[in-house]
Amino acid sequence: MAPKLQRRPAGMRLAHQFWLSLVVPIAMAIALYGLFSSAHRKQVLRDEATAELRNYATLLQAFVESALQRRDIALVRRRAEHFASAERIQGVAAFTREGEAVFITEGVKREQERLEALARRAFLEGGDIEEPTNVAGQPVLVRTVAIHPSSANPPLVAVLVRDRHYIEVLESSLNRGLAATGVVLLLVSAVVAGVVGRFTVALPARAILSGAERVASGDLDAAVPEKGAEELSRLAHAFNTMTWSLREARERAEREEMARVNVERRLQQAQALAAAGQVATSLGHEIGSPLNVIQGRARRAADLPGCPEHLRAELETIARQSERITRVVSRLVSLARPSRPQQGDSDLRRVIDDVVAFLGPECRKRDIETSVECPRDSGSWARVALDSDRLFQVVFNLCLNAIEAQDGGGELVVRVLPEHDGPAGSRAVCFEVEDAGPGVRAEDMGQIFEPFFTTKSTRGGSGLGLAIVQGIVQEAGGSVEVAASPTGGARFRVTLPTVAPDAPSSRDASSSVDMQARQGEEASSTGDDGASLAMGPEARGEARTGGTEEGQKG
């Protein structure tokens, strides 16, 4: 049962993370730019105001010194008024060392005391003073300039007052424009990032997530569109490839499992029929002779002269019932004895490949490495005179025994040997099945092919597999041998005759064998002397071999 998937705590979506990763840096960049830009503009404006005020101070110094040299105070006042009327100049004043106002314009008369104090500081410090202050509630920039007209005139200190409020107004206006521009840029960036993130990240990632959830729930038909960013597109392609591989693996596993179930069912039937064949053969042999004696004695007694009629009738009844028992047992033996195998023409290499492929999952489960060693030109001579079904049974039983003998991993080697001369000048081909298990003990070598002999009784072994193999191989005119492998495991060598170039077709051989089988069954069922029940060693061996073969094939 698949574990129930637990829903993880909800977190931020990938699209939102992508959107924030783009928008937040842009917003921070705009904000930092605004801060630095505002500070820089403010400093630039202040520097410009200071430079402009210095220029005015230099001009005022030159004009006043020129007018005083002429001793024209009226000209000095006119020039002072002229300077006071300049843009952003609020007023001009001049003071002597004693604090007497030489001239002062209307715009700054109310601040005469503050300006006088500033002039005194300039006299005391012996240099120009420049500082921001407030005049009439407005921010201004004040600068002093020393005036030395001549030795005959006392020195003066002129004070210029320049408006500074316009800087704050201009700075505020520029900041509002910059903020509006930043907001618009941020909104445009957010919209673009949202649209791009949706179509390149969000939708492809959501499709992949949905496909992964479907696969997790068991739906391997899930497919996702391969679009979006390059990495997500490649991820979607890899996801689709993975689901396709999983579908193929699942279908292959289902086919292998179905084939395995069919083979297991056939093996169970083979075991049941093999056991029934052994029991039926033994029963027929043990009961046949007594029944023949009872039937013969009853008929002779009935044929004796002077036998009473009622006794003759009883004896005839005994004889008929004995014949009935004979027929019942004969049918039981006929049921356990299969029809003779049909001659066939099988490709040994192909059958070996089919068996190894079929047992591949079991080998991987047990960590067993498989290999097939076969000459490249085997297709031209490795064709044996045995139908493919029974050849499959032979190879399958040997390989299955090799696998079950290696619980802790190992190797399975199937080796096809070159064609060689067989008995009576025929051609034969050999193949070997070799494992790296514990091997076959020396004391078991002589009885390993006997029916019901097994070394796997604790693991459910029936002892019929090798008996079936030997029966099929011997009936095909071949042989099977067992020996130790170089790795310490077991090595089974099977020799089978190859197909003669002038061999009859499969259909003719099948018809001939079927006719012989029907003739044999009729002969065994029509005998009155019960010979079909009194089977000798040869007949018992034939019944045992036939029973095991039919069971494996069924």
Side-chain angles (χ1 to χ4, degrees):
M1 182 178 180
K4 185 178 180 180
L5 297 178
Q6 297 182 355
R7 186 175 183 85
R8 300 186 62 181
M12 185 178 294
R13 292 185 176 181
L14 181 61
H16 294 167
Q17 295 180 8
F18 175 80
W19 183 82
L20 289 177
S21 66
L22 292 179
V23 174
V24 169
I26 293 175
M28 293 178 63
I30 293 175
L32 291 176
Y33 174 77
L35 293 176
F36 286 111
S37 177
S38 176
H40 178 69
R41 284 197 309 271
K42 188 174 183 180
Q43 185 62 37
V44 168
L45 292 174
R46 288 179 178 179
D47 292 343
E48 290 179 352
T50 301
E52 185 180 353
L53 184 59
R54 288 176 182 173
N55 293 333
Y56 277 122
T58 303
L59 291 174
L60 178 63
Q61 180 185 25
F63 289 158
V64 171
E65 287 179 352
S66 176
L68 289 177
Q69 287 176 0
R70 298 177 186 177
R71 298 182 182 274
D72 189 351
I73 299 301
L75 179 60
V76 171
R77 290 190 176 94
R78 287 197 304 271
R79 289 184 175 180
E81 292 293 338
H82 178 72
F83 269 92
S85 64
E87 185 180 7
R88 300 190 183 96
I89 298 296
Q90 290 188 353
V92 179
F95 299 92
T96 63
R97 185 181 297 273
E98 290 77 14
E100 180 184 357
V102 177
F103 61 85
I104 184 169
T105 60
E106 291 294 331
V108 294
K109 281 184 177 182
R110 295 181 180 179
E111 303 293 332
Q112 182 175 350
E113 294 182 359
R114 294 178 59 187
L115 298 179
E116 181 183 347
L118 186 62
R120 290 179 181 273
R121 281 178 52 197
F123 277 116
L124 292 176
E125 295 177 2
D128 295 339
I129 297 175
E130 181 179 308
E131 62 182 16
T133 185
N134 290 323
V135 173
Q138 296 292 332
V140 295
L141 185 63
V142 179
R143 182 178 180 82
T144 64
V145 59
I147 300 174
H148 304 279
S150 65
S151 59
N153 296 318
L156 303 176
V157 171
V159 181
L160 281 81
V161 180
R162 188 183 191 278
D163 179 31
R164 195 165 55 91
H165 178 64
Y166 84 97
I167 296 177
E168 296 179 357
V169 174
L170 181 59
E171 182 182 359
S172 177
S173 176
L174 293 176
N175 287 340
R176 287 195 297 271
L178 180 61
T181 304
V183 170
V184 172
L185 179 60
L186 184 60
L187 290 176
V188 172
S189 301
V191 172
V192 172
V195 173
V196 173
R198 175 178 177 81
F199 288 100
T200 62
V201 176
L203 294 180
R206 195 174 303 168
I208 295 175
L209 177 60
S210 176
E213 291 176 347
R214 290 176 58 188
V215 171
S217 63
D219 183 11
L220 297 183
D221 294 328
V224 298
E226 300 177 8
K227 59 183 181 180
E230 180 183 358
E231 291 78 4
L232 291 176
S233 177
R234 293 171 59 186
L235 180 61
H237 177 73
F239 178 84
N240 291 334
T241 303
M242 179 193 68
T243 55
W244 179 83
S245 300
L246 290 176
R247 286 196 304 271
E248 291 293 319
R250 183 178 64 180
E251 293 174 358
R252 184 167 58 253
E254 290 176 351
R255 292 193 299 268
E256 293 176 353
E257 183 64 23
M258 185 178 299
R260 184 185 303 278
V261 170
N262 292 335
V263 171
E264 289 179 354
R265 185 174 62 251
R266 291 169 58 186
L267 289 177
Q268 292 174 358
Q269 294 174 354
Q271 293 176 2
L273 288 179
Q278 295 292 328
V279 173
T281 303
S282 177
L283 185 64
H285 176 67
E286 298 298 332
I287 297 179
S289 295
L291 284 177
N292 288 336
V293 173
I294 293 173
Q295 179 184 355
R297 294 293 178 87
R299 291 195 182 280
R300 281 202 303 271
D303 292 339
L304 289 176
C307 180
E309 289 297 327
H310 67 279
L311 182 58
R312 181 178 287 109
E314 295 294 338
L315 293 174
E316 286 293 337
T317 300
I318 292 173
R320 286 194 302 271
Q321 294 303 320
S322 298
E323 291 177 354
R324 180 183 176 186
I325 295 174
T326 300
R327 288 192 299 270
V328 170
V329 175
S330 178
R331 285 195 296 269
L332 180 61
V333 174
S334 299
L335 176 65
R337 182 192 301 123
S339 59
R340 296 183 180 274
Q342 299 178 354
Q343 295 180 0
D345 179 358
S346 303
D347 187 342
L348 178 60
R349 174 59 189 268
R350 178 175 297 178
V351 173
I352 290 174
D353 290 340
D354 292 343
V355 172
V356 172
F358 176 77
L359 294 175
E362 185 68 16
C363 292
R364 290 190 292 271
K365 178 181 178 182
R366 296 173 179 259
D367 196 19
I368 296 176
E369 297 182 359
T370 61
S371 62
V372 177
E373 302 176 4
C374 182
R376 293 187 177 181
D377 60 341
S378 61
S380 60
W381 47 263
R383 303 190 64 84
V384 298
L386 186 64
D387 61 279
S388 58
D389 286 343
R390 295 187 180 274
L391 182 59
F392 183 95
Q393 295 165 22
V394 172
V395 181
F396 177 86
N397 280 335
L398 294 178
C399 292
L400 185 61
N401 283 345
I403 293 172
E404 292 178 348
Q406 304 176 86
D407 291 333
E411 62 178 357
L412 170 64
V413 180
V414 183
R415 185 181 300 109
V416 178
L417 304 179
E419 186 182 27
H420 64 279
D421 292 332
S426 62
R427 302 294 292 174
V429 64
C430 294
F431 71 93
E432 296 177 345
V433 177
E434 183 176 310
D435 62 67
V440 181
R441 296 181 301 179
E443 56 268 29
D444 295 336
M445 289 286 187
Q447 53 184 347
I448 194 171
F449 292 104
E450 292 182 4
F452 302 105
F453 175 80
T454 179
T455 59
K456 301 180 293 182
S457 57
T458 58
R459 291 176 291 173
S462 63
L464 293 172
L466 294 179
I468 292 173
V469 169
Q470 186 184 49
I472 294 175
V473 171
Q474 288 182 350
E475 198 158 22
S479 62
V480 56
E481 302 170 353
V482 60
S485 67
T487 58
R491 174 193 291 168
F492 287 85
R493 172 177 292 186
V494 177
T495 304
L496 290 171
T498 58
V499 177
D502 55 347
S505 64
S506 299
R507 180 176 300 178
D508 296 341
S510 175
S511 301
S512 176
V513 172
D514 288 344
M515 183 177 296
Q516 293 177 6
R518 287 195 299 269
Q519 290 175 354
E521 292 177 357
E522 292 174 359
S524 62
S525 62
T526 55
D528 293 335
D529 56 354
S532 62
L533 300 177
M535 294 180 290
E538 296 80 1
R540 288 197 301 270
E542 180 180 350
R544 180 171 63 248
T545 303
T548 55
E549 290 174 354
E550 179 63 24
Q552 176 69 3
K553 186 176 181 181

